[in-house]
Amino acid sequence: MNADALYLDLKHKLGDVMPEAELILKAEVAAEVLRLKEERNAVILGHNYMEPALFHTVPDFHGDSLELSRRAAETDKPYIVFCGVRFMAETAKILNPSKTVLLPTEKGGCSLAESITAADVRALRAAYPGVPIVTYINTYADVKAECDICCTSSNAVAVVESLKTDTVIFLPDEYLAKNVARETGLHVIVPKVLPKAGGAAAGTDVEHAMIAWKGRCEVHELFTPEDIDSVRKQFPDVMILAHPECSPEVVAKADFSGSTTAMIKAVEKSKARRYLLLTECSMGDNIVAAHPEKEMLRLCSHRCPHMGEITLEQTRDSLKYLRWVIDVPEDIRVRALRSVERMLAVGPKVD
Ligand code: 13P
Ligand code: SF4
């Protein structure tokens, strides 16, 4: 698509929210990205949180963490440009190591991934010997390497159930752990201090339990049950959707909870008049751009600063200068791959 066609498409989708000059500029940058993508024979993966001008122009595939991991594993293109955050790009490298994986920002952090280290996981394993360790995909490769199986927001319950055990260590998102525990019937323990090696397993308190960690998503922890009460009072016909990284109190009051893609699909299927998404704000913008008939309520602007580092301009420069290359040391990659592959075997599949 050339810049003129991209401009018309962006105008149609974002004309109400983006000034004319920006539409023209973004269309030109998007055209450059598409040209460089072809030149490099690259694939671009775009997480659902990408800003609308990027989301609606350059990715070959959109999706949540699980879908994009599968796309990364399947591609035969020599370059994978990951428009998301670092842990996602690392997962792509873990799954498809012969490809060059590029992250369009040097950092691309995540408060959950930063909340736990490989040494923390080793200490937990020593404290609870024999208890399987599940890690959310929002962790770095060295943490995945110490765990038994990964999960994402779309398969966390299925992964825990697949272990067929009544005691599980679930890291590092305390809220996701509590939400999964509610669905699986386990009770949650969040140890304040790690018990000494071997000291906890004999205790009856870990039976039928999910041992969690104190990690939080800095975006989703901002939503409160009071926010929901106040919106429902003003708009009784609203459908409220909460990502499972929100607190269990928030999820309990929502009408639907699921991964970013599950939330998009639920809005697309629903006939409700209005929606409130309790997740990163760009996703609401992306849905409205594709479905202008859907009315999206906004609590305020909760943006993920790490996802926000990725722009069309950064994506262009990533392809132009082949930066920032994601590398994972081979010994860590091989061990992390076991955890990721076990998760992929649980499902669900993407079309
Ligand atoms: P999803 O896998 O649901 O896209 O979640 C990723 C994430 O980081 C949500 O904050
Ligand atoms: Fe991490 Fe939260 Fe940002 Fe998702 S929204 S990448 S969990 S900080």
Side-chain angles (χ1 to χ4, degrees), residues 30-350:
E32 233 185 310
V33 173
L34 292 178
R35 185 180 57 72
L36 286 162
K37 179 171 82 166
E38 204 171 313
E39 219 171 272
R40 298 282 191 198
N41 192 20
V43 63
I44 300 184
L45 306 179
H47 187 262
N48 292 325
Y49 288 165
M50 288 299 103
E51 58 160 4
L54 188 159
F55 185 84
H56 286 290
T57 51
V58 298
D60 296 285
F61 300 104
H62 308 116
D64 60 20
S65 316
L66 182 67
E67 291 170 311
L68 295 182
S69 302
R70 290 195 189 278
R71 297 295 182 197
E74 283 162 13
T75 191
D76 56 0
K77 303 274 185 188
Y79 293 101
I80 301 171
V81 181
F82 212 117
C83 294
V85 286
R86 176 166 293 266
F87 74 80
M88 296 178 177
E90 265 192 9
T91 308
K93 186 70 184 175
I94 290 166
L95 283 161
N96 208 338
S98 66
K99 313 300 178 199
T100 301
V101 178
L102 301 170
L103 182 68
T105 175
E106 195 170 5
K107 289 202 215 128
C110 166
S111 64
L112 283 171
E114 263 116 64
S115 73
I116 192 158
T117 66
D120 293 329
V121 184
R122 285 193 291 272
L124 280 162
R125 200 182 281 285
Y128 300 97
V131 178
I133 306 183
V134 179
T135 180
Y136 194 27
I137 200 161
N138 296 38
T139 46
Y140 293 120
D142 57 342
V143 166
K144 290 186 176 77
E146 298 293 338
C147 295
D148 299 303
I149 185 165
C150 277
C151 73
T152 75
S153 58
S154 61
N155 62 13
V157 171
V159 164
V160 169
E161 284 175 344
S162 78
L163 296 172
K164 307 211 184 314
T165 165
D166 72 350
T167 309
V168 154
I169 299 172
F170 190 102
L171 311 170
D173 186 346
E174 181 190 343
Y175 286 162
L176 181 64
K178 288 179 171 167
N179 287 320
V180 172
R182 207 191 51 212
E183 286 195 52
T184 52
L186 299 172
H187 76 262
V188 175
I189 303 169
V190 187
K192 287 204 175 58
V193 185
L194 272 185
K196 288 199 175 56
T204 48
D205 63 334
V206 296
E207 274 173 30
H208 210 68
M210 183 172 270
I211 298 145
W213 191 249
K214 283 239 95 56
R216 300 267 176 91
C217 164
E218 68 192 85
V219 179
H220 292 90
E221 72 172 348
L222 300 175
F223 299 109
T224 65
E226 292 72 33
D227 291 333
I228 296 187
D229 293 342
S230 145
V231 169
R232 283 211 199 276
K233 213 159 151 191
Q234 296 169 68
F235 303 99
D237 55 356
V238 67
M239 177 182 182
I240 300 183
L241 302 95
H243 193 276
E245 289 168 13
C246 293
S247 74
E249 294 76 18
V250 165
V251 169
K253 278 184 174 262
D255 301 304
F256 178 89
S257 180
S259 78
T260 53
T261 293
M263 290 165 98
I264 294 171
K265 286 187 176 155
V267 170
E268 284 173 346
K269 240 176 67 188
S270 157
K271 299 251 180 308
R273 192 143 154 241
R274 302 188 169 92
Y275 302 87
L276 177 69
L277 294 183
L278 301 179
T279 193
E280 215 271 359
C281 282
S282 295
M283 212 171 85
D285 299 337
N286 288 334
I287 296 177
V288 170
H291 303 281
E293 76 287 358
K294 308 257 178 199
E295 188 188 332
M296 213 50 79
L297 299 178
R298 313 251 172 229
L299 276 179
C300 54
S301 193
H302 289 336
R303 297 274 346 251
C304 169
H306 316 292
M307 291 281 185
E309 287 169 23
I310 314 286
T311 59
L312 270 174
E313 290 77 0
Q314 291 279 78
T315 308
R316 173 199 59 203
D317 292 347
S318 180
L319 279 160
K320 204 180 209 170
Y321 306 116
L322 296 182
R323 74 181 190 198
W324 310 87
V325 176
I326 298 294
D327 276 319
V328 178
E330 188 58 11
D331 57 323
I332 291 178
R333 189 194 71 79
V334 171
R335 287 187 297 131
L337 180 64
R338 264 193 343 222
S339 297
V340 179
E341 280 184 332
R342 279 185 193 142
M343 167 188 82
L344 294 179
V346 172
K349 307 266 178 284
V350 286

